[in-house]
Amino acid sequence: LEHYLSQYKKTLLLVSHDESILNECVDCILHFFDHKLIRYRGNYSTFLTVREQNMAATQKKIRAQNVKLEQDR
């Protein structure tokens, strides 16, 4: 099944809790988060890594904004 799905050339919506299938068969992840649909290129492991990096960068920006707000008071 994994081989067949990984060779499939058309669009396919795959919903699975099996990380190995998602790692072997997908090259794009659509993630619905915060009322937005976000596209990640790569397999599931890549999605997890990039999402974590994005979340860390967002948290860093929020902390910097909070520090600036405190300084402006």
Side-chain angles (χ1 to χ4, degrees):
L1 177 63
E2 289 178 18
H3 177 72
Y4 175 79
L5 292 175
S6 66
Q7 301 300 314
Y8 192 73
K9 298 298 180 196
K10 296 184 180 180
T11 301
L12 175 71
L13 176 63
L14 175 65
V15 178
S16 177
H17 295 281
D18 187 335
E19 290 183 25
S20 67
I21 287 178
L22 295 173
N23 274 323
E24 294 296 322
C25 299
V26 304
D27 59 7
C28 176
I29 304 272
L30 295 175
H31 182 222
F32 187 70
F33 179 73
D34 197 25
H35 304 285
K36 299 175 198 156
L37 193 60
I38 305 166
R39 182 180 182 190
Y40 293 86
R41 293 188 185 271
N43 64 13
Y44 186 70
S45 293
T46 302
F47 157 72
L48 292 176
T49 301
V50 173
R51 183 184 65 162
E52 182 64 32
Q53 291 169 347
N54 291 347
M55 290 175 71
T58 299
Q59 289 299 318
K60 185 177 179 180
K61 286 179 184 178
I62 290 170
R63 284 192 299 274
Q65 289 173 346
N66 288 338
V67 167
K68 178 143 178 48
L69 287 172
E70 287 297 320
Q71 290 173 347
D72 290 345
R73 284 186 179 182

